[in-house]
Amino acid sequence: MNRITKTALVVAAFFSASSFAGYEVQIDDSSKLTFGGYFKADLRNVSGDQAYRDYWIGTSTSAPDTNQTSLQAKESRFNVKFTHGEVTGFLEYDFFGGGGNALVSNSYTPRMRHAFISYKNWKVGQTWSTFMPLASIAEALDFGGAHVGQVFIRQTQIRYTNGGLELALENPANATDANQSIPDAVARYTYKGDFGQVAVAALARTFDDNGVAGHADGTQLAYSISGKINTFGKDDFRFAYNAGAAGRYISPGHNAGDKVNADGSGDLLATQAYTVAYRHFWTDDLRSTVYYGHSEVEDFNGVSADSDRNHYGVNLIQQLTKQLSVGVEFGNYDADISATDTADSDYVQLSAKYVL
């Protein structure tokens, strides 16, 4: 088949394929392209004493008397997967890369989310950390739901999978000292059955303070227990408990700087965080999720002055077609802004989402 004919067939298949399953193009007997992603538009209002954010993470910024509304479509994303025999390459990006000008063009910069190669039991490249319990994340209109209680990391890694066992070496980045030689190590085991799934994971990070006092040093350990349990009908309960000397891995933005204890040991501040969520189907096309996330970093605001974050939300999502849904979500985010003060904001978000 000549190149022009093949290209014409690819274009025709792209525009005629079922959008719910993604657009799949069979190139030859052993190769295919799959296009996927979704379009999402959000209207969001934040009111209170926490500064406006497009979505809540583990940071805390005091902004008294905030009352801000924004309409944006930055969560929209596109991905492409190329499969040739047992080899798969996957690339995905969204538009949370910064830039843009809400006064004129809103031309936000694409941001790479995933870029990896899979071959048999191996995966190499950038994707979700093996330490991250994906199945436990609540279905939320706020981008990612209760980040405050979650492990939330995307980074380059080398991962081996055999059944429910996953072992990985991952990028050892830290905010205080880039001169690190030992990759972060992760082990995860997931057990699946008719009931749903449960998983346990362990993380080991090995730091070198390079002789700088107050920087992380030595091996730091953390763990995660998570699951998604089927309950009644199509309903499910999701949970995760994450704890230990994880630093940047747990509650993104909370201890992103990998702060250490004041005792000179070089140990990371201890973090404990959890999320719980229940999803209920009122009908086949109407569903709700109520969720809550909490994190606490010990001594973050000084000795015996811990730092807390909390986020809860409840939503109602109507599936208009297989591909198109609309929804509304209400919630609250509160966080310590110092050793003695806290601030919180309520939010309401309306969303429309079309899945390819």
Side-chain angles (χ1 to χ4, degrees):
M1 182 182 296
N2 64 49
R3 181 175 298 177
I4 294 176
T5 303
K6 184 180 292 186
T7 301
L9 287 175
V10 167
V11 172
F14 180 86
F15 285 104
S16 62
S18 167
S19 59
F20 182 68
Y23 296 90
E24 187 173 293
V25 180
Q26 194 71 38
I27 298 174
D28 56 36
D29 290 342
S30 60
S31 302
K32 64 180 179 181
L33 275 172
T34 305
F35 301 90
Y38 60 76
F39 302 95
K40 185 166 180 275
D42 299 311
L43 185 158
R44 180 178 175 91
N45 174 265
V46 171
S47 60
D49 296 325
Q50 280 283 341
Y52 175 91
R53 286 191 58 88
D54 288 331
Y55 54 94
W56 302 116
I57 58 175
T59 59
S60 177
T61 304
S62 176
D65 301 320
T66 291
N67 189 357
Q68 181 175 339
T69 298
S70 177
L71 286 85
Q72 52 90 10
K74 289 181 283 186
E75 190 182 327
S76 301
R77 64 189 57 173
F78 181 78
N79 59 60
V80 59
K81 179 172 68 174
F82 179 74
T83 303
H84 180 74
E86 295 182 288
V87 182
T88 296
F90 183 86
L91 175 67
E92 181 178 78
Y93 59 87
D94 64 17
F95 298 91
F96 277 113
N101 184 337
L103 301 178
V104 183
S105 64
N106 290 274
S107 48
Y108 296 102
T109 304
R111 174 186 68 166
M112 186 179 78
R113 293 169 49 85
H114 302 274
F116 62 81
I117 302 164
S118 296
Y119 176 67
K120 294 185 176 179
N121 298 78
W122 294 92
K123 180 178 289 184
V124 180
Q126 176 170 305
T127 190
W128 298 118
S129 171
T130 313
F131 191 56
M132 182 175 172
L134 293 171
S136 69
I137 297 175
E139 182 179 28
L141 302 184
D142 180 279
F143 184 34
H147 280 100
V148 295
Q150 296 172 358
V151 175
F152 199 89
I153 293 286
R154 250 189 332 263
Q155 60 191 6
T156 300
Q157 61 196 262
I158 302 169
R159 185 191 301 180
Y160 173 78
T161 301
N162 188 344
L165 178 65
E166 299 172 89
L167 304 171
L169 296 176
E170 305 193 3
N171 187 36
N174 79 78
T176 57
D177 196 335
N179 190 30
Q180 304 297 319
S181 61
I182 301 177
D184 295 351
V186 182
R188 166 179 294 279
Y189 187 80
T190 303
Y191 179 75
K192 297 181 180 180
D194 293 339
F195 69 93
Q197 61 178 280
V198 292
V200 293
L203 166 70
R205 304 178 67 192
T206 302
F207 292 86
D208 186 343
D209 64 9
N210 293 290
V212 180
H215 285 194
D217 193 51
T219 299
Q220 312 292 317
L221 303 175
Y223 66 93
S224 173
I225 302 169
S226 63
K228 178 182 177 183
I229 308 300
N230 301 323
T231 57
F232 308 102
K234 297 167 66 175
D235 292 9
D236 62 71
F237 172 69
R238 309 179 192 195
F239 68 92
Y241 180 78
N242 315 294
R248 66 183 176 90
Y249 277 77
I250 297 176
S251 187
H254 200 163
N255 189 16
D258 288 325
K259 292 179 67 173
V260 301
N261 291 320
D263 59 9
S265 64
D267 291 338
L268 294 175
L269 298 178
T271 300
Q272 58 177 337
Y274 60 86
T275 61
V276 289
Y278 191 86
R279 183 172 66 164
H280 173 66
F281 281 79
W282 303 102
T283 69
D284 287 342
D285 298 325
L286 185 67
R287 62 192 183 273
S288 292
T289 293
V290 56
Y291 64 88
Y292 174 73
H294 169 82
S295 67
E296 178 179 309
V297 180
E298 294 181 5
D299 299 337
F300 187 82
N301 290 318
V303 177
S304 299
D306 301 342
S307 174
D308 292 354
R309 307 281 191 264
N310 299 280
H311 176 193
Y312 69 80
V314 58
N315 57 51
L316 182 66
I317 300 172
Q318 175 71 51
Q319 201 71 40
L320 299 177
T321 71
K322 269 190 172 183
Q323 300 88 0
L324 178 64
S325 63
V326 294
V328 59
E329 179 169 305
F330 302 89
N332 177 271
Y333 177 80
D334 78 80
D336 294 334
I337 56 176
S338 70
T340 57
D341 294 321
T342 64
D344 77 293
S345 278
D346 298 319
Y347 73 96
V348 59
Q349 182 164 323
L350 305 175
S351 299
K353 183 177 182 180
Y354 177 78
V355 179
L356 296 178

